[in-house]
Amino acid sequence: MKLLTSPLITARFGLLVGAVTLSTALSGYCNWGPAGTGASSVCDGDVQGGDTCNEGQSNCEDGCGGRWCTNDGGPAPPTPTPPTGGQTATTTRYWDCSGGACACAYIPTGFSDQEPAHCHSNAMFVAPAGNPFGATYYGAAAVSASLGGGNWMADACGKCWKVTGTSNAPGYGGVETTLILKGTNFCPDDNPLCDAGPHFDIAAPGFDVTAYSLAHTCPEREPEEAAGFAACETWLIGNLDPDLGCDCSLFNSPTLRRGCENFYNLKWDNPVVTYEEVSCPPELADLHCEHPYALEANMPETCSSNDYSAPSTTSTTTTESPPTTSTTTTTTTEAPPTTTTTTVANTTTSTSTTTEIFSHVTPNIQTKHQTNNETNIHN
């Protein structure tokens, strides 16, 4: 997601970006927040961007990259107070359906290896009761370079952070929530917030703002979920009523629907958060992130779902043979790892294959996809 800053507007339109009296605005006004972006605006009553940007919502948001505010200069949404203690980071939300920089993806039917789609398991889900982090939800995020993010299989891939923030949507402020977020994508420096320092672009199905996204492929790669992916795009953009502009029920996939609902329940409008790196809980560590990508036809459950409560099944079959030959096949559906042992023709051969996230990606593949998969990296 690439956000335009107010200095760009000055260059593009030759306008002096500054305060304008509120009486010059029509039914609303254009505003930028402290980061110089529409996304960071808190609609504080300061009319910005000059006459052209304030002619209407389309000019403000599409042409000027600001936020169209309709609160007429009244009480602004609460500005989040930066948390005290610990390291702090900025946040945004996204879900552009592109495969991303950490291979947490699959290939939709009819698409090439260069056109992966984000695993549904990257959606936010309820954390286990009594987890050691005190977390309410587990989820995923595209992370900035300062957190180890990079173009392809960078250090941040597969790492986890404990992230704590406070709700700041109008009427819902003041509720603190802790998440555990796994690095599954890269937020590049094209996004000024990612360029500025530690940043988590939280994976939230339905919340991608296509006007600012450089990699939104949802209508093409998952057309059956197109309505859901657009369901919350305008939440708290233009209309500041947090009870409007979001309908997670439009998703068909229960995993995506729950992910949408869980993020919506946070009532987070890009708050500043505290964070610390932690060991990934198994419910996140076991989710699918590996290359070569899985195909949609044989997508593992760890890509299609994050329902860790589903019971695993194990079947064992033993066939008795003459004393010199025995065949035993053991299959465990809980993956990774998967171990298969086979005995053939008087000779016992044991083959153990363990899939470790990222470890099997060869340098040649990394180099190839760092160049060719840049369109799949979250922007």
Side-chain angles (χ1 to χ4, degrees), residues 18 72 182 203 230 283 338:
D72 296 327
K182 178 181 176 180
E283 295 83 5
T338 299

Side-chain angles (χ1 to χ4, degrees), residues 114-134:
Q114 301 298 311
E115 301 169 297
H118 219 34
C119 282
H120 292 184
S121 57
N122 290 298
M124 192 174 291
F125 58 99
V126 175
N131 67 81
F133 312 102

